[in-house]
Amino acid sequence: LKQQSIAAVETEKDLRLSKAFYGVENQRKNRCDLQLSLLQGGFAADRDGDVSSIDDSHVLADALQELLGGDGTLRYLYENLVTMDGEFYELASVITNPGSLRQQIHPDLPHKDIAPLYVIFLALQDVNEFMGPTTFLLRTHTAKENAIFNDSSQKDKQLTTADSRLATLNKGDAVLFDARILHCGNANDMEKGSDRALFNFSFRNPKVKDNLGYAGSIRPGYAGAMNLRDISEALIAYGEGDKNPFAKYGDGIFRQV
């Protein structure tokens, strides 16, 4: 949330940064997809910012090491789902504040026959039913269910009879989902809710070659720049003492040419 505050201040100074910081969620009230910097110091390091007063820890690299490093809890899953060639497609924190409205039920992208994208939502605090947890409609990732969803004569019945799950989570719990599944973020209650932040990243399946029809929540300069192998190599360097292992990718605010 401190990073969110820094982003808000910087966006007021320069409106061009809005999309770089918030992507497609940059116009929604009480909700944002805060697109993260891979640099040591996070948002404070943006545009060659002064990080001399910040300690030499690297919270994001520590988290990625725990999840995607050689012995990371999600490394085996992603190696098998997307291989080491899977593109690092999203890197953000999904944040909702009290008063945010429920989303419409949706898949993240147009239907593909092969699963194109595998997404992680990891709770950065406990998420209860008042904080707008995500609802998932199980087994709706198929071509058949997608066709029903897009048929107005069948959609209502599909939604009212779906086998759904509400993703209330304890801090540190994660949901891994196929981006084709129908889902929505629920309302964060104005009175009983509280700030909800989820660490969000995804990898693209290299078997899907065409355009996904979905711009992931990632800074423009990072889009298409890394795959799981690149992340792994950076984390190996981090484990060997490199305190800023993603430095060559910069802050990602603007696409490099």
Side-chain angles (χ1 to χ4, degrees), residues 58-215:
H58 197 325
V59 175
L60 184 53
D62 288 339
L64 291 173
Q65 189 77 281
E66 289 290 325
L67 298 167
L68 298 171
D71 296 319
T73 53
L74 298 175
R75 175 64 175 269
Y76 177 81
L77 277 172
Y78 270 115
E79 275 192 39
N80 282 272
L81 290 171
V82 303
T83 77
M84 296 296 282
D85 294 322
E87 179 187 338
F88 193 44
Y89 203 76
E90 294 178 287
L91 178 66
S93 181
V94 178
I95 301 172
T96 65
N97 311 109
S100 67
L101 302 177
R102 185 179 75 84
Q103 292 179 309
Q104 295 292 316
I105 292 175
H106 63 282
D108 277 340
L109 35 67
H111 188 79
K112 306 287 184 184
D113 290 334
I114 300 172
L117 198 66
Y118 292 98
V119 185
I120 284 290
F121 283 171
L122 188 151
L124 299 180
Q125 71 295 293
D126 292 349
V127 179
N128 63 38
E129 64 270 29
F130 302 111
M131 295 167 66
T134 307
T135 292
F136 293 95
L137 277 55
L138 304 189
R139 295 176 292 279
T140 56
H141 63 290
T142 65
K144 177 182 177 181
E145 291 295 324
N146 184 261
I148 293 172
F149 181 71
N150 289 316
D151 182 345
S152 59
S153 68
Q154 301 184 75
K155 180 177 178 178
D156 285 350
K157 182 178 179 182
Q158 177 193 42
L159 298 183
T160 55
T161 61
D163 183 9
S164 63
R165 295 291 186 277
L166 188 65
T168 52
L169 303 167
N170 293 322
K171 182 179 179 180
D173 287 349
V175 176
L176 170 64
F177 64 96
D178 179 334
R180 299 174 296 178
I181 196 170
L182 297 177
H183 64 284
C184 69
N186 288 285
N188 194 326
D189 188 270
M190 182 66 80
E191 301 299 328
K192 298 180 180 180
S194 58
D195 295 333
R196 181 198 68 156
L198 304 174
F199 182 34
N200 166 221
F201 64 86
S202 67
F203 285 90
R204 175 178 174 154
N205 188 343
K207 292 180 180 179
V208 180
K209 304 296 185 182
D210 57 337
N211 190 302
L212 296 190
Y214 168 69

